[in-house]
């Protein structure tokens, strides 16, 4: 795990004292709200519906037990005992007092965390594959490059006032588990013509009001040029991106207005003229950073564990959880374990301070001190010995965390919506809860199979509804919450934006509408076909008819 | 339809309502009601002074509905949620009907 050097420590601590002074001046009246607002936003402090919200950066979704325990402590001491994990792999506290935030930031700094660049028109938290350094299909650890990008983009003087916020994701595996195609820049580590690793660079993806799948700007970028190339993309965007219209300011609009070819030409010309050696990281520096990400020492173990096999035989609940939440690991005898934050009845992505403490303990007992946050709003222990899995499960199940719904219908992504968010048009959490209730039976979810259901409370799409196989978007129609359903979205390698299937539904009708869609899929699917495959084969007509036919 | 003035408290961000004496209450039932534009303006003037005094931020008037028992309810879902001050962590808590 990356450790702060003296510079990082000094810098973060300076920011804490700076913000403490700013809060002091605000409370004393030396700063008006208009003057203070951009300062607090730069430190991750939003004013939401009920209270202030503090967004804490979790770089590439990686946490140590010590950090998670500190987050638990912060939740208990300064919030209401819980936080919300987001699709940016960050954590939000919903009820912190402005007067306490300087102390919270100081507590975060103690464990090398902060809230810098979790808001504002700058490069936001770089996200990644939660199974980095564990997945069997990984070419190279993406976290090293995330960390390099993090250091480079933190307070980068040229890119601190971009036309709009900027999101980067890096994946180092064959399967895209970081939704890279829906990012301003998506980076995929791929094998190059001479067998060396480099990046396939996607640009201009994004959700929100105008969703786009990212386009390839470069099929293969030698690794050593990552920073100079990304810098050229940002420079072109910074110069040509629109600043006159908030809704047209993201890079996706620029890329799609110019066309990818023209945009590429501009970037390549800038890159050509760039002094790459002045920007790209020297090889020994890359090696130094990479050394922080050395995988834990995992002595090989027999890949078949008899006790584990017997438990799967004898305990159907355990077997069901295991089938969905235990993923293969590259080292024989190990696995990655998903801790679902989607127990039916709970707010998706919320974790209490007790849960955080428990997961920190489990990471120490069974998980080689590593925890990851998945953008799908679950936690992951990436390195667990298979022999320890039954004991781990027993602790999770006891705490209500043994829900085996990873990647199934119940594993919904859900933004805070109108229960918390100042920008929301409609509630999303209660809808997710109602859907979870309808599909509570694990056998039913297993029968349906993998299905990504994503939900947002407004067009900003924090809940990734565009990328859901089934997407749900809350809108406000003359004071009534209405829910638009999209079908056929995908966040993976076959990335696609979902299609609106028809008129929206009132809140109480949404669970049944999802039921109808699922039934239509199950009836129509060929053996082994995923929802997307069926959707692509049969098209919208049968779904429309099932939903609206009787009207 | 009467209006009340709502805001968030500066120091902790909590939702509050302007009360008849010029104080701020977390309870909508305590809110001063204004009938007509002039009364709303008068309440807003009091609220603006509270912004200058650094008591509250994000001030605005909102319409409310008077129920049969004389108490008031916000009209919009958003304001009903704000007035409820509710968290969504616990199971089965949701009592603002879908
Ligand atoms: S999608 Fe909209 S409602 Fe949901 S968190 Fe984002 S801004 Fe708020």
């Amino acid at each position: 795990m990356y450790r702060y050097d003296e510079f990082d420590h000094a810098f973060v601590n300076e920011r804490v004292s700076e913000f403490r002074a700013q809060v002091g001046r605000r409370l004393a009246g030396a700063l008006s709200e208009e003057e203070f607002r951009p300062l607090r936003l730069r430190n991750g402090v939003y004013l939401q519906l009920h209270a202030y919200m503090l967004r804490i950066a979790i770089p590439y979704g990686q946490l140590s037990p010590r950090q998670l325990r500190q987050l638990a402590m912060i939740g208990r001491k300064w919030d209401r005992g819980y936080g919300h994990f987001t699709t940016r792999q960050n954590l939000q506290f919903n009820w912190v007092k402005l007067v306490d935030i300087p102390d919270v930031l100081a507590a975060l700094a103690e464990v090398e965390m902060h809230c810098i660049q979790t808001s504002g028109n700058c490069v936001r938290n770089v996200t990644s594959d939660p199974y980095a350094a564990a997945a069997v299909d990984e070419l190279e650890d993406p976290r090293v490059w995330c960390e390099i990008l993090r250091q480079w983009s933190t307070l980068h003087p040229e890119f601190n006032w971009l036309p709009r916020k900027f999101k980067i994701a890096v994946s180092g595996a064959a399967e895209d588990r970081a939704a890279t195609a829906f990012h301003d820049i998506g980076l995929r580590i791929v094998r190059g013509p001479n067998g060396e690793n480099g990046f396939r660079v996607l640009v201009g993806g994004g959700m929100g009001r105008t969703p786009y799948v990212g386009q390839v700007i470069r099929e293969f970028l030698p690794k050593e040029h990552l920073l100079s190339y990304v810098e050229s993309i940002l420079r072109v965007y910074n110069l040509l991106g629109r600043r006159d219209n908030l809704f047209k300011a993201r890079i996706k609009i620029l890329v799609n207005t110019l066309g990818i070819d023209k945009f590429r030409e501009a970037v390549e010309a800038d890159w050509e003229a760039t002094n790459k050696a002045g920007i790209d990281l020297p090889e020994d520096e890359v090696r130094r950073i990479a050394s922080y990400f050395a995988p834990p020492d995992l002595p090989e173990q027999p890949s078949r564990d008899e006790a584990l096999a017997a438990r799967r035989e004898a305990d159907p609940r355990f077997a069901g959880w295991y089938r969905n939440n235990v993923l293969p690991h590259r080292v024989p005898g190990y696995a990655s374990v998903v801790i679902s934050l989607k127990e039916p009845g709970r707010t998706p992505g919320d974790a209490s301070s007790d849960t955080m403490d428990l997961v920190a303990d489990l990471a120490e007992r069974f998980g080689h001190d590593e925890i990851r946050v998945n953008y799908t709003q679950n936690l992951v222990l990436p390195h667990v010995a298979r022999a320890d899995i039954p004991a781990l499960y027993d602790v999770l199940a006891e705490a209500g965390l043994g829900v085996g719904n990873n990647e199934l219908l119940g594993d919904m992504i859900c933004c805070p919506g109108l229960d918390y968010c100042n920008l929301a048009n409609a509630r999303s959490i209660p809808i997710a809860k109602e859907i979870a209730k309808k599909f509570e039976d694990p056998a039913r979810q297993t029968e349906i199979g993998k299905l990504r259901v994503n939900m947002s409370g407004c067009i900003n799409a924090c809940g990734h509804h565009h990328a859901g196989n089934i997407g749900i978007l809350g809108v406000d129609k003359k004071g009534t919450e209405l829910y638009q359903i999209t079908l056929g979205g995908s966040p993976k390698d076959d990335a696609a934006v979902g299609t609106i299937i028809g008129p929206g539904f009132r809140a109480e009708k949404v669970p049944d509408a999802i039921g109808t869609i699922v039934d239509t899929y199950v009836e129509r699917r060929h053996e082994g076909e995923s929802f997307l495959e069926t959707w692509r084969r049969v098209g919208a007509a049968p779904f429309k008819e099932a939903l609206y036919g009787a009207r | 339809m009467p209006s009340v003035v709502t805001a968030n408290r500066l120091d902790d961000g909590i939702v509050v309502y302007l009360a008849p004496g010029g104080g701020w209450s977390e309870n909508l039932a305590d809110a001063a009601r204004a009938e007509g534009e002039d009364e709303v303006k008068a309440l807003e003037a009091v609220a603006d002074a509270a912004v200058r005094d650094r008591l509250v931020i994000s001030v605005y008037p909102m319409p409310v509905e008077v129920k049969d028992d004389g108490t008031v309810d916000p009209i919009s879902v958003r304001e009903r949620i704000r007035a409820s001050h509710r968290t969504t962590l616990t199971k089965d808590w949701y009592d603002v009907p879908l």
Side-chain angles (χ1 to χ4, degrees), chain A residues 146-165:
Chain A
C146 292
E147 177 55 30
I148 289 170
L149 286 164
R150 188 190 72 80
Q151 295 192 16
W152 160 84
S153 65
T154 301
L155 299 201
H156 193 301
E158 188 178 342
F159 305 131
N160 235 321
W161 298 99
L162 294 165
R164 199 74 181 85
K165 59 186 166 185

Short mmCIF file of all heavy atoms in Angstrom, two decimals, chain A residues 146-165:
data_model
loop_
_atom_site.label_atom_id
_atom_site.label_comp_id
_atom_site.label_asym_id
_atom_site.label_seq_id
_atom_site.Cartn_x
_atom_site.Cartn_y
_atom_site.Cartn_z
N CYS A 146 -2.61 4.12 -11.05
CA CYS A 146 -3.58 5.01 -10.36
C CYS A 146 -2.82 5.93 -9.41
O CYS A 146 -3.12 7.13 -9.33
CB CYS A 146 -4.57 4.19 -9.55
SG CYS A 146 -5.70 3.22 -10.52
N GLU A 147 -1.88 5.37 -8.67
CA GLU A 147 -1.13 6.16 -7.70
C GLU A 147 -0.27 7.21 -8.42
O GLU A 147 -0.19 8.37 -7.98
CB GLU A 147 -0.27 5.24 -6.83
CG GLU A 147 0.62 5.96 -5.82
CD GLU A 147 -0.11 6.90 -4.88
OE1 GLU A 147 -1.30 6.66 -4.57
OE2 GLU A 147 0.49 7.91 -4.47
N ILE A 148 0.32 6.82 -9.53
CA ILE A 148 1.12 7.78 -10.30
C ILE A 148 0.21 8.92 -10.79
O ILE A 148 0.56 10.10 -10.67
CB ILE A 148 1.83 7.06 -11.47
CG1 ILE A 148 2.95 6.17 -10.90
CG2 ILE A 148 2.36 8.05 -12.50
CD1 ILE A 148 3.58 5.22 -11.90
N LEU A 149 -0.96 8.56 -11.29
CA LEU A 149 -1.90 9.59 -11.74
C LEU A 149 -2.38 10.46 -10.57
O LEU A 149 -2.58 11.66 -10.71
CB LEU A 149 -3.11 8.94 -12.42
CG LEU A 149 -2.86 8.39 -13.83
CD1 LEU A 149 -3.98 7.44 -14.23
CD2 LEU A 149 -2.74 9.53 -14.85
N ARG A 150 -2.57 9.82 -9.41
CA ARG A 150 -3.03 10.58 -8.24
C ARG A 150 -2.00 11.64 -7.86
O ARG A 150 -2.33 12.80 -7.66
CB ARG A 150 -3.28 9.63 -7.07
CG ARG A 150 -3.94 10.30 -5.86
CD ARG A 150 -3.95 9.41 -4.64
NE ARG A 150 -2.62 9.26 -4.07
CZ ARG A 150 -2.03 10.17 -3.27
NH1 ARG A 150 -2.66 11.27 -2.95
NH2 ARG A 150 -0.80 9.96 -2.81
N GLN A 151 -0.74 11.20 -7.79
CA GLN A 151 0.29 12.15 -7.39
C GLN A 151 0.42 13.28 -8.41
O GLN A 151 0.56 14.44 -8.06
CB GLN A 151 1.63 11.43 -7.22
CG GLN A 151 1.58 10.42 -6.09
CD GLN A 151 2.97 9.91 -5.71
OE1 GLN A 151 3.98 10.48 -6.07
NE2 GLN A 151 2.99 8.82 -4.96
N TRP A 152 0.36 12.90 -9.68
CA TRP A 152 0.52 13.88 -10.75
C TRP A 152 -0.64 14.89 -10.76
O TRP A 152 -0.45 16.08 -10.95
CB TRP A 152 0.63 13.14 -12.09
CG TRP A 152 0.32 13.96 -13.29
CD1 TRP A 152 1.18 14.79 -13.96
CD2 TRP A 152 -0.94 14.05 -13.98
NE1 TRP A 152 0.53 15.38 -15.03
CE2 TRP A 152 -0.75 14.94 -15.05
CE3 TRP A 152 -2.19 13.45 -13.79
CZ2 TRP A 152 -1.79 15.26 -15.94
CZ3 TRP A 152 -3.21 13.76 -14.66
CH2 TRP A 152 -3.00 14.67 -15.72
N SER A 153 -1.87 14.38 -10.52
CA SER A 153 -3.04 15.25 -10.67
C SER A 153 -3.35 16.06 -9.41
O SER A 153 -4.14 17.00 -9.46
CB SER A 153 -4.26 14.43 -11.06
OG SER A 153 -4.62 13.54 -10.02
N THR A 154 -2.76 15.67 -8.28
CA THR A 154 -3.08 16.38 -7.04
C THR A 154 -2.54 17.81 -7.10
O THR A 154 -1.33 18.02 -7.23
CB THR A 154 -2.50 15.64 -5.82
OG1 THR A 154 -3.04 14.33 -5.80
CG2 THR A 154 -2.86 16.34 -4.52
N LEU A 155 -3.47 18.76 -7.05
CA LEU A 155 -3.14 20.19 -7.13
C LEU A 155 -2.27 20.54 -8.34
O LEU A 155 -1.45 21.45 -8.27
CB LEU A 155 -2.44 20.67 -5.85
CG LEU A 155 -3.21 20.57 -4.55
CD1 LEU A 155 -2.62 21.51 -3.52
CD2 LEU A 155 -4.69 20.86 -4.71
N HIS A 156 -2.45 19.81 -9.44
CA HIS A 156 -1.73 20.16 -10.67
C HIS A 156 -2.16 21.58 -11.07
O HIS A 156 -3.33 21.82 -11.32
CB HIS A 156 -2.08 19.16 -11.77
CG HIS A 156 -1.17 19.25 -12.95
ND1 HIS A 156 -1.03 20.40 -13.69
CD2 HIS A 156 -0.35 18.34 -13.53
CE1 HIS A 156 -0.16 20.19 -14.66
NE2 HIS A 156 0.27 18.94 -14.59
N PRO A 157 -1.22 22.51 -11.12
CA PRO A 157 -1.62 23.91 -11.30
C PRO A 157 -2.36 24.17 -12.62
O PRO A 157 -3.24 25.01 -12.66
CB PRO A 157 -0.28 24.67 -11.26
CG PRO A 157 0.78 23.65 -11.48
CD PRO A 157 0.23 22.34 -11.01
N GLU A 158 -2.01 23.41 -13.65
CA GLU A 158 -2.67 23.66 -14.94
C GLU A 158 -4.08 23.08 -14.99
O GLU A 158 -4.93 23.55 -15.74
CB GLU A 158 -1.82 23.05 -16.07
CG GLU A 158 -2.30 23.42 -17.46
CD GLU A 158 -1.41 22.84 -18.56
OE1 GLU A 158 -0.26 22.45 -18.27
OE2 GLU A 158 -1.88 22.81 -19.71
N PHE A 159 -4.33 22.05 -14.17
CA PHE A 159 -5.59 21.33 -14.31
C PHE A 159 -6.47 21.42 -13.07
O PHE A 159 -7.23 20.52 -12.75
CB PHE A 159 -5.31 19.86 -14.66
CG PHE A 159 -4.46 19.72 -15.89
CD1 PHE A 159 -3.34 18.90 -15.89
CD2 PHE A 159 -4.76 20.44 -17.04
CE1 PHE A 159 -2.55 18.78 -17.02
CE2 PHE A 159 -3.97 20.33 -18.18
CZ PHE A 159 -2.86 19.51 -18.18
N ASN A 160 -6.35 22.53 -12.35
CA ASN A 160 -7.16 22.69 -11.16
C ASN A 160 -8.46 23.44 -11.43
O ASN A 160 -9.35 23.50 -10.59
CB ASN A 160 -6.36 23.39 -10.07
CG ASN A 160 -6.36 22.57 -8.81
OD1 ASN A 160 -7.38 21.97 -8.46
ND2 ASN A 160 -5.23 22.49 -8.14
N TRP A 161 -8.57 24.05 -12.58
CA TRP A 161 -9.80 24.76 -12.95
C TRP A 161 -10.18 24.35 -14.36
O TRP A 161 -10.21 25.15 -15.28
CB TRP A 161 -9.63 26.28 -12.84
CG TRP A 161 -9.34 26.68 -11.43
CD1 TRP A 161 -8.13 26.96 -10.88
CD2 TRP A 161 -10.29 26.80 -10.36
NE1 TRP A 161 -8.25 27.24 -9.54
CE2 TRP A 161 -9.57 27.15 -9.20
CE3 TRP A 161 -11.68 26.63 -10.27
CZ2 TRP A 161 -10.19 27.35 -7.97
CZ3 TRP A 161 -12.28 26.83 -9.05
CH2 TRP A 161 -11.55 27.19 -7.91
N LEU A 162 -10.46 23.09 -14.55
CA LEU A 162 -10.88 22.56 -15.84
C LEU A 162 -12.29 23.07 -16.15
O LEU A 162 -12.97 23.59 -15.25
CB LEU A 162 -10.86 21.03 -15.79
CG LEU A 162 -9.48 20.38 -15.63
CD1 LEU A 162 -9.63 18.92 -15.21
CD2 LEU A 162 -8.67 20.50 -16.92
N PRO A 163 -12.75 22.91 -17.39
CA PRO A 163 -14.13 23.32 -17.67
C PRO A 163 -15.14 22.59 -16.76
O PRO A 163 -16.17 23.15 -16.38
CB PRO A 163 -14.33 22.91 -19.13
CG PRO A 163 -12.95 22.93 -19.73
CD PRO A 163 -12.04 22.50 -18.62
N ARG A 164 -14.81 21.36 -16.37
CA ARG A 164 -15.73 20.57 -15.55
C ARG A 164 -14.93 19.48 -14.86
O ARG A 164 -13.75 19.30 -15.15
CB ARG A 164 -16.80 19.98 -16.48
CG ARG A 164 -18.06 19.52 -15.83
CD ARG A 164 -18.97 20.64 -15.40
NE ARG A 164 -20.17 20.10 -14.76
CZ ARG A 164 -20.25 19.77 -13.48
NH1 ARG A 164 -19.22 19.96 -12.69
NH2 ARG A 164 -21.37 19.26 -12.98
N LYS A 165 -15.59 18.74 -13.97
CA LYS A 165 -14.89 17.66 -13.27
C LYS A 165 -14.35 16.62 -14.25
O LYS A 165 -14.84 16.51 -15.39
CB LYS A 165 -15.82 17.00 -12.27
CG LYS A 165 -17.07 16.41 -12.88
CD LYS A 165 -17.98 15.91 -11.77
CE LYS A 165 -19.39 15.63 -12.30
NZ LYS A 165 -20.31 15.26 -11.23
#
